[in-house]
Amino acid sequence: EVQLQESGPGLVKPSQSLSLTCSVTGYSITSNYWGWIRKFPGNKMEWMGYISYSGSTSYNPSLKSRISITRDTSKNQFFLQLNSVTTEDTATYYCARYYGYTLFDYWGQGVMVTVSS
Amino acid sequence: DIRMTQSPASLSASLGETVNIECLASEDIYSDLAWYQQKPGKSPQLLIYNANSLQNGVPSRFSGSGSGTQYSLKINSLQSEDVATYFCQQYNNYPLTFGSGTKLEIK
């Protein structure tokens, strides 16, 4: 069974970087696309970006200057880094496996990240 | 970006009732529309894609319809396990965008 699990600090200070790990079991990240999505307080959801089976990436233009998605295929993990965070980046962050190129069929449980001094 | 306007924000219905949730896209998305269900404390689950195709394993009381800019999710014979937040997602164009969610409760 495909399982994804997010991990990382739950509290980040403003202007610092947010770094999260998505650990995948039951499926290789060298297949499919893998994405990050976040859900803000109040339920608005935002697609952040993806990393493909080949390692190529695509990001939401709203984040393009601050975001980086990378991977470690030996550990079957992929990572999110978001730089220069503000309180507006407070959200629950999800990693997910793509179904095709545009849908998500497996999601992690989500990790809540608060940006606060 | 394509804006997805979802309504209602919350909904309370009785067991056995039929409920409808709507999503309006800011432009034609050519049926590139998915619905997800997120139960409390759980991760989202894909219910419907291509506006009306049921994902494997999803009960047949769920159905989707629509075209152009207007789409809806229908749940027949509401069950207690349907308590969840439902949200739509368009995938006609990147960046992928989502509706704001509908919280469904049982009366």
Side-chain angles (χ1 to χ4, degrees):
Chain A
E1 184 189 0
V2 181
Q3 292 187 325
L4 296 89
Q5 179 67 58
E6 305 89 351
S7 60
L11 181 64
V12 181
K13 293 186 187 312
S15 79
Q16 293 188 344
S17 293
L18 179 163
S19 296
L20 298 176
T21 298
C22 183
S23 300
V24 180
T25 56
Y27 202 84
S28 172
I29 64 168
T30 58
S31 298
N32 283 55
Y33 288 72
W34 304 85
W36 287 97
I37 303 107
R38 62 182 177 176
K39 188 174 187 178
F40 298 101
N43 283 335
K44 179 188 170 187
M45 295 188 73
E46 181 181 58
W47 170 77
M48 301 182 73
Y50 71 66
I51 187 163
S52 77
Y53 53 89
S54 66
S56 64
T57 56
S58 177
Y59 303 129
N60 193 317
S62 68
L63 300 168
K64 197 160 190 177
S65 61
R66 298 197 292 136
I67 188 174
S68 176
I69 299 176
T70 57
R71 66 179 184 170
D72 184 336
T73 57
S74 68
K75 294 182 179 179
N76 217 38
Q77 295 175 326
F78 62 105
F79 312 100
L80 171 70
Q81 181 170 318
L82 187 64
N83 299 322
S84 305
V85 298
T86 71
T87 55
E88 295 189 353
D89 294 308
T90 292
T92 297
Y93 288 75
Y94 295 92
C95 59
R97 188 186 81 166
Y98 271 73
Y99 180 63
Y101 178 60
T102 50
L103 300 173
F104 305 99
D105 60 353
Y106 288 94
W107 298 61
Q109 290 291 321
V111 59
M112 187 179 299
V113 179
T114 301
V115 179
S116 175
S117 53
Chain B
D1 298 4
I2 297 174
R3 289 187 316 277
M4 303 301 295
T5 303
Q6 186 172 341
S7 61
S10 62
L11 184 53
S12 183
S14 301
L15 293 175
E17 269 193 48
T18 295
V19 300
N20 282 282
I21 298 168
E22 311 285 330
C23 257
L24 178 67
S26 60
E27 61 187 76
D28 194 329
I29 57 171
Y30 302 96
S31 298
D32 292 334
L33 190 284
W35 291 97
Y36 296 86
Q37 174 194 63
Q38 186 172 22
K39 295 184 178 181
K42 301 292 187 183
S43 54
Q45 301 290 315
L46 176 64
L47 292 179
I48 286 170
Y49 59 97
N50 294 347
N52 60 14
S53 296
L54 215 58
Q55 176 70 338
N56 289 342
V58 174
S60 59
R61 64 178 181 275
F62 291 90
S63 63
S65 64
S67 62
T69 62
Q70 296 186 315
Y71 299 87
S72 63
L73 171 69
K74 184 177 179 180
I75 310 173
N76 287 317
S77 302
L78 192 64
Q79 307 288 306
S80 57
E81 60 262 34
D82 299 334
V83 168
T85 296
Y86 295 84
F87 55 94
C88 60
Q89 179 220 322
Q90 69 79 22
Y91 50 94
N92 181 251
N93 220 343
Y94 268 85
L96 307 177
T97 51
F98 297 86
S100 52
T102 296
K103 187 174 183 180
L104 175 60
E105 298 176 330
I106 302 294
K107 271 185 192 172

